[in-house]
Amino acid sequence: MMTAEDLLNALEDLREDEFKTFKWYLQQPDILEGYQAIKVSKLEKAKRWDTVNVMVSSYKPDGALNVTKKVLEKINRNDLVQSLSDTSSGPRVSVDVSDDGETSENRRTSSSQSEGQKTHDVVPLKEEYEEKKAELEAEIQQMIQKRQLKIQEMKLSVKLSKQDADREIAEGVKVFTALKECVERGQASFTDTIKVKQDTTKRKAQSFISELEQEISDLKKIKTEVKQLSPSEDHLSLEQCVQSLKAHRSSRTGQRSASVHDEGTVVRAVSQLEETLSEQMKKLVAESELKRVQQYAVDVTLDPDTAYPKLVLSDDGKQVTHGDVKKIVPDNPERFSCCFFVLAKQSFSSGRFYFEVQVKGKTNWDLGVARESINRKKNIRMSPQCGYWTVCMRNGNEYKALAGPPVRLSLKSRPQKVGVFVDYEEGLVSFHDVDAAALIYSFTGCSFTEKLFPFFSPCNNDGGKNSAPLIISPVRVK
């Protein structure tokens, strides 16, 4: 007979992400046909035992069993469905008692003895027929349920796809609106520049005209004076006229261009706009991508059983530093014994996940993911070939992607918080500067075949210069 403990055992076998999905299904009114959805408030912070109690109180034991099986089938944990089926099934004996106290079993026995060999032949055939009929009906019902579940899964997939599409459209509209505003600002700036130059041209032209008009007036006066000279007058007056004319000949006013307009304004404005748009587009795309991957945030805690003996972990499993004292700890197979490394408790073998780590105040650190089978008992080269997909910082300002060979990274700013995103099926591991919303580096085309664990190394504390902790931070979407 199934007990609450059997349900708890099944839930204990779920990974953390599977357990979250399990609770999500319990909250959906259109998923569990025939069963009422459980309020979000009852499950939001519920642990596994709490979840079992809520289901039993909401659906009764038999209902809780049926709901658990349905949800486990939805998250593809048919192995647990089978274990629950084995638990709930068992020998059941049904005994009918007649008015005279004789059991139906006794009546069947005496009847069979009296009816002889004919009844002995007919009853087994009838029972076999009924058994096969029941099996066939059960098989058909199971096939119907599987198809109904598939329909529900497809409806859910369409619903989630629409949500993703709506979110992408909203982000896309935001990006294009920002780019449009950038173009409009560029156009306004260009127009203002042309108008300012036109005003400048107008003022300069007016000044030139005034100077030319003055010179014309002076030349007319000289002309009149020359015309009035007669041969009988002395040469001094004539020489004075000649000198005045020479002064006007050397004037540059008449040589100045009538136009001061710059014909290269449009080309320079378009070139500047193109550069601005390129930078703006990179920034907006990076911000949009960061928001997208942050949707896959998971709760990550450090695993003390994997930590190098000199590493100091906080009680909540969110911080790690390098200490000077080597602690006496069990040398279990999971523990790193030669490098200042530690893994998370959580592992992932499908889907997408994202986490953020504060690296503020550190001069050296390593972050990324590692596969389960990495060698933990000796020094090895950190590279994808050896099971590590990581980025590191050295000497306070030197950044590398440990891609084998390492790739030097040129970053515009020093990251204070680093986001790590993994798409298991796509073979992608990307690193993001959270505050700057900038991509640091991406490993692409990776082939993952086993569990991946978030990986951390605070490196040596370097006499206190690198004593700041690595801190696993809660993800806040801007």
Side-chain angles (χ1 to χ4, degrees), residues 234-284:
D234 56 25
H235 291 281
L236 180 60
S237 298
L238 181 61
E239 185 62 29
Q240 288 176 345
C241 290
V242 171
Q243 292 301 323
S244 297
L245 187 59
K246 281 184 178 180
H248 285 287
R249 282 175 181 169
S250 61
S251 172
R252 298 183 59 86
T253 304
Q255 300 173 12
R256 294 177 185 176
S257 172
S259 173
V260 293
H261 183 65
D262 186 356
E263 297 295 339
T265 303
V266 175
V267 174
R268 284 197 299 273
V270 172
S271 178
Q272 179 63 42
L273 177 60
E274 183 179 5
E275 183 178 339
T276 303
L277 277 175
S278 179
E279 290 297 321
Q280 182 79 350
M281 196 157 53
K282 288 179 182 178
K283 179 182 178 182
L284 291 170

Side-chain angles (χ1 to χ4, degrees), residues 255-475:
Q255 300 173 12
R256 294 177 185 176
S257 172
S259 173
V260 293
H261 183 65
D262 186 356
E263 297 295 339
T265 303
V266 175
V267 174
R268 284 197 299 273
V270 172
S271 178
Q272 179 63 42
L273 177 60
E274 183 179 5
E275 183 178 339
T276 303
L277 277 175
S278 179
E279 290 297 321
Q280 182 79 350
M281 196 157 53
K282 288 179 182 178
K283 179 182 178 182
L284 291 170
V285 169
E287 289 176 351
S288 177
E289 177 63 12
L290 179 60
K291 288 182 181 179
R292 185 186 73 84
V293 300
Q294 285 178 326
Q295 303 297 322
Y296 301 99
V298 293
D299 185 17
V300 173
T301 52
L302 301 170
D303 185 357
D305 291 336
T306 66
Y308 179 76
K310 280 191 175 183
L311 295 186
V312 180
L313 276 59
S314 62
D315 293 338
D316 62 359
K318 297 295 185 179
Q319 301 186 29
V320 58
T321 58
H322 176 267
D324 294 321
V325 179
K326 191 171 185 178
K327 300 187 295 293
I328 299 175
V329 291
D331 187 21
N332 48 285
E334 297 83 12
R335 189 178 306 281
F336 292 99
S337 58
C338 293
C339 304
F340 308 137
F341 297 166
V342 61
L343 299 179
K345 291 180 179 180
Q346 294 75 19
S347 65
F348 305 88
S349 55
S350 64
R352 305 177 180 94
F353 64 94
Y354 173 85
F355 60 95
E356 292 180 353
V357 183
Q358 180 179 307
V359 296
K360 183 179 180 180
K362 296 195 66 62
T363 58
N364 298 281
W365 51 260
D366 299 83
L367 288 174
V369 293
R371 68 187 179 210
E372 185 176 29
S373 63
I374 51 175
N375 192 316
R376 311 182 190 200
K377 300 302 178 184
K378 64 179 181 180
N379 287 312
I380 58 174
R381 185 168 63 92
M382 292 176 65
S383 68
Q385 292 77 15
C386 297
Y388 295 86
W389 292 265
T390 59
V391 163
C392 73
M393 190 258 276
R394 296 289 182 268
N395 302 318
N397 59 2
E398 298 174 7
Y399 298 90
K400 294 179 182 179
L402 302 181
V407 177
R408 288 187 175 276
L409 305 175
S410 178
L411 306 184
K412 291 184 178 180
S413 60
R414 181 176 176 177
Q416 304 297 299
K417 187 181 292 184
V418 177
V420 182
F421 172 70
V422 176
D423 188 325
Y424 195 96
E425 281 73 24
E426 288 294 324
L428 171 69
V429 181
S430 61
F431 298 81
H432 302 261
D433 182 339
V434 176
D435 296 324
L439 178 66
I440 296 174
Y441 185 80
S442 289
F443 292 91
T444 58
C446 308
S447 179
F448 303 130
T449 57
E450 55 185 276
K451 292 179 180 178
L452 295 178
F453 289 82
F455 166 88
F456 312 83
S457 175
C459 297
N460 193 296
N461 65 22
D462 194 17
K465 295 179 182 178
N466 188 40
S467 60
L470 287 177
I471 304 174
I472 301 171
S473 306
V475 176

Side-chain angles (χ1 to χ4, degrees), residues 88-352:
S88 60
S89 62
R92 298 188 179 183
V93 178
S94 176
V95 179
D96 295 333
V97 182
S98 63
D99 294 336
D100 60 1
E102 184 182 15
T103 65
S104 59
E105 184 64 28
N106 289 339
R107 291 198 302 273
R108 283 197 298 271
T109 301
S110 59
S111 175
S112 61
Q113 289 174 347
S114 62
E115 290 183 7
Q117 186 63 35
K118 181 178 180 181
T119 306
H120 178 75
D121 293 336
V122 173
V123 172
L125 289 175
K126 183 177 180 182
E127 289 178 352
E128 182 178 356
Y129 169 80
E130 293 294 339
E131 183 178 344
K132 286 185 177 181
K133 180 181 177 182
E135 289 178 356
L136 183 59
E137 290 177 349
E139 183 179 0
I140 294 172
Q141 182 61 30
Q142 187 176 18
M143 292 173 67
I144 292 172
Q145 289 177 346
K146 283 184 177 180
R147 283 153 179 77
Q148 289 174 336
L149 288 173
K150 184 60 67 176
I151 290 173
Q152 292 171 355
E153 287 175 4
M154 293 184 72
K155 287 181 178 179
L156 176 61
S157 177
V158 170
K159 182 179 179 181
L160 294 176
S161 177
K162 185 179 184 304
Q163 292 174 353
D164 290 341
D166 291 343
R167 185 172 62 250
E168 287 194 28
I169 289 173
E171 285 297 323
V173 169
K174 188 175 180 180
V175 169
F176 281 104
T177 299
L179 292 176
K180 179 182 176 182
E181 291 174 352
C182 183
V183 172
E184 289 173 347
R185 286 194 300 271
Q187 180 183 356
S189 176
F190 168 73
T191 303
D192 291 342
T193 300
I194 295 297
K195 287 181 178 180
V196 168
K197 287 188 175 183
Q198 175 60 26
D199 291 342
T200 302
T201 299
K202 183 178 179 180
R203 287 196 303 272
K204 286 184 177 181
Q206 288 174 344
S207 176
F208 294 161
I209 290 171
S210 297
E211 291 178 15
L212 288 169
E213 287 176 342
Q214 182 61 46
E215 288 192 5
I216 290 172
S217 177
D218 292 343
L219 288 171
K220 285 182 176 180
K221 183 178 180 181
I222 294 172
K223 180 181 177 182
T224 301
E225 291 176 354
V226 170
K227 188 175 182 180
Q228 292 175 351
L229 289 175
S230 63
S232 62
E233 295 185 52
D234 56 25
H235 291 281
L236 180 60
S237 298
L238 181 61
E239 185 62 29
Q240 288 176 345
C241 290
V242 171
Q243 292 301 323
S244 297
L245 187 59
K246 281 184 178 180
H248 285 287
R249 282 175 181 169
S250 61
S251 172
R252 298 183 59 86
T253 304
Q255 300 173 12
R256 294 177 185 176
S257 172
S259 173
V260 293
H261 183 65
D262 186 356
E263 297 295 339
T265 303
V266 175
V267 174
R268 284 197 299 273
V270 172
S271 178
Q272 179 63 42
L273 177 60
E274 183 179 5
E275 183 178 339
T276 303
L277 277 175
S278 179
E279 290 297 321
Q280 182 79 350
M281 196 157 53
K282 288 179 182 178
K283 179 182 178 182
L284 291 170
V285 169
E287 289 176 351
S288 177
E289 177 63 12
L290 179 60
K291 288 182 181 179
R292 185 186 73 84
V293 300
Q294 285 178 326
Q295 303 297 322
Y296 301 99
V298 293
D299 185 17
V300 173
T301 52
L302 301 170
D303 185 357
D305 291 336
T306 66
Y308 179 76
K310 280 191 175 183
L311 295 186
V312 180
L313 276 59
S314 62
D315 293 338
D316 62 359
K318 297 295 185 179
Q319 301 186 29
V320 58
T321 58
H322 176 267
D324 294 321
V325 179
K326 191 171 185 178
K327 300 187 295 293
I328 299 175
V329 291
D331 187 21
N332 48 285
E334 297 83 12
R335 189 178 306 281
F336 292 99
S337 58
C338 293
C339 304
F340 308 137
F341 297 166
V342 61
L343 299 179
K345 291 180 179 180
Q346 294 75 19
S347 65
F348 305 88
S349 55
S350 64
R352 305 177 180 94

